[in-house]
Amino acid sequence: MRKLLSCISVIGLAALSLTACGEKAPSYSNVGTEITIWATEKEEAVIKAVVEKYNANQKEESSKFKYNFKGVTEADAGTTLAKDPTVEGRPALFLCADDHIFNLQSKGIVAELKGSYKEHVVANNSAVAVKGATYNDKLYGFPVTSDNGYFLWYNKAALSENDVKSLETVLQKAKDSKKTFGMEINNGWYANSFIMSPQACGTSSLTWAANAEGKVSYTTTWDNEAGVKVSEYANSLIKPLYEAGTFVTAPNEVILQGFQDGSMIAAVSGTWMESDLKKAIGDNLGAVKLPEYHIDGKAYQMASFTGSKIYCINTSCTVEEQKAAAALAELLTNADSQLIRYENRQAIPCNKEAAADKRFTENTTISAKALEAQNAAAACVQSQTAQDRYWDIGKAIGQAYLDGNLGEGVTTWAQFLKAQMDILRTAQ
């Protein structure tokens, strides 16, 4: 793998034409090698539109992109390739969330971007997006979006703008109307929402670092007095409603079904659901930052993760495949392509020119506004906060919020959280 990585860094990337700054129309040659792409299913239409537009202007077959597409989620792509980058049907180009970068680069699975590619990415994308694709000052991918976060979707026919400011009010309204509230709290991506509130442990209360041997350990205050207090409260609030069927652990498909059949009045999810939810309830669809919860008369703003999705190059593929993948990744993430993605998928641009374009600024979706508000209120950068074994720890905490089961011999939240955080603090 190291030999292939060297080849693409020195030969492959340098051989392709790119401007170091500004968004001029790219031009590529010798990229006709057919490659496989893994990306979320909704990305397929974007790839098709961008590639067909580009290929229509090329006379030589060697200058036309050729690809096979396989629908794989950003989470599954990174996880699968980390286990085996040579898996059958392996992609030369794949889309993943930014928290996968450290694990993939530590195993030599993703190509480092150098030269004009790195200059172009850094110059043209938001600092947060670039940071998500970077480890130890080395860039490992092409940022695609800056919308990897979540907020509150709600039905305006059931909840007012004032209602959705308070989590307790939303839950009470759902209970009274015999409807449901959806949040996949037993997923580590959402389980941080209570404990990382700025009024509790804070959005910088969990960070990780790797030592010289590549082992990861965390610095965390989740088991302090504030963490224990809000966790006890979250459990007391959620458990009875979960048992009654009001609080539902809802992945995307459950949320969509709930909005379609009218059984769900609010749910926590992200921008990717806007088009489907809009079709379900039309103008009754609302989106806002996450609500506040309340302990002893004090308001706590629910927190979230935020981050980017990134196109990465698989070093287990041939040099020619990697060269074609790098060129196509640049094409798929330039300003025009990010605007096409926004128009098709409501994916928020991280390219600075695209983010300033009227096609985005004059047609900002309700989800983009809600995510912006949530990021401003309480969000932590996912790639700097959560890695590897955090996800199992987060899942365990979220599950305990639901059922109150702290484990054999563990009787208090203080004991439970300390045990979980000690696992994270240990270098592995």
Side-chain angles (χ1 to χ4, degrees), residues 76-97:
D76 289 342
T79 301
T80 300
L81 293 174
K83 294 177 181 177
D84 181 9
T86 64
V87 65
E88 183 178 356
R90 71 186 186 277
L93 183 64
F94 62 95
L95 192 60
C96 70

Side-chain angles (χ1 to χ4, degrees), residues 83-335:
K83 294 177 181 177
D84 181 9
T86 64
V87 65
E88 183 178 356
R90 71 186 186 277
L93 183 64
F94 62 95
L95 192 60
C96 70
D98 56 11
D99 64 293
H100 287 271
I101 292 297
F102 169 73
N103 189 34
L104 292 169
Q105 68 81 29
S106 69
K107 297 178 179 180
I109 293 169
V110 288
E112 179 191 353
L113 304 189
K114 297 182 178 180
S116 59
Y117 270 117
K118 182 176 183 178
E119 293 170 3
H120 185 265
V121 168
V122 172
N124 289 288
N125 291 278
S126 70
V128 171
V130 173
K131 187 175 183 180
T134 301
Y135 181 72
N136 277 351
D137 297 323
K138 295 181 179 180
L139 184 68
Y140 291 98
F142 298 81
V144 179
T145 72
S146 59
D147 60 0
N148 201 28
Y150 47 91
F151 46 86
L152 186 74
W153 290 108
Y154 71 101
N155 189 328
K156 292 190 287 186
L159 295 165
S160 69
E161 291 182 2
N162 194 54
D163 290 336
V164 295
K165 294 178 181 178
S166 165
L167 177 62
E168 291 88 350
T169 299
V170 172
L171 292 173
Q172 189 63 48
K173 290 272 188 176
K175 180 182 178 181
D176 292 345
S177 60
K178 294 182 172 55
K179 303 292 185 180
T180 62
F181 168 84
M183 183 177 184
E184 201 174 7
I185 194 69
N186 56 343
N187 178 325
W189 202 48
Y190 299 100
N192 71 319
S193 292
F194 286 90
I195 209 163
M196 292 190 85
S197 165
Q199 292 77 35
C201 291
T203 55
S204 60
S205 58
L206 183 72
T207 58
W208 65 272
N211 62 22
E213 298 175 347
K215 293 183 177 181
V216 172
S217 62
Y218 286 77
T219 299
T220 174
T221 59
W222 282 22
D223 53 350
N224 67 11
E225 183 178 348
V228 172
K229 183 176 184 177
V230 299
S231 294
E232 290 175 341
Y233 177 73
N235 174 226
S236 68
L237 176 68
I238 294 172
K239 185 174 183 288
L241 293 172
Y242 175 64
E243 293 174 342
T246 300
F247 191 107
V248 179
T249 56
N252 296 333
E253 60 272 17
V254 174
I255 293 173
L256 178 58
Q257 183 61 48
F259 274 72
Q260 286 174 333
D261 62 25
S263 62
M264 185 173 288
I265 63 172
V268 176
S269 189
T271 59
W272 53 87
M273 296 206 70
E274 178 158 353
S275 60
D276 289 337
L277 294 180
K278 188 75 173 177
K279 290 176 184 176
I281 62 172
D283 291 339
N284 280 329
L285 182 64
V288 293
K289 70 176 179 64
L290 294 176
E292 297 173 340
Y293 62 96
H294 302 80
I295 304 176
D296 299 330
K298 179 181 176 180
Y300 292 71
Q301 172 61 54
M302 293 181 74
S304 66
F305 281 119
T306 187
S308 302
K309 296 170 186 175
I310 301 165
Y311 266 122
C312 295
I313 301 159
N314 185 352
T315 59
S316 74
C317 294
T318 68
V319 170
E320 291 304 314
E321 288 174 320
Q322 291 181 62
K323 287 167 64 177
L328 183 52
E330 192 284 325
L331 178 65
L332 289 170
T333 57
N334 67 19

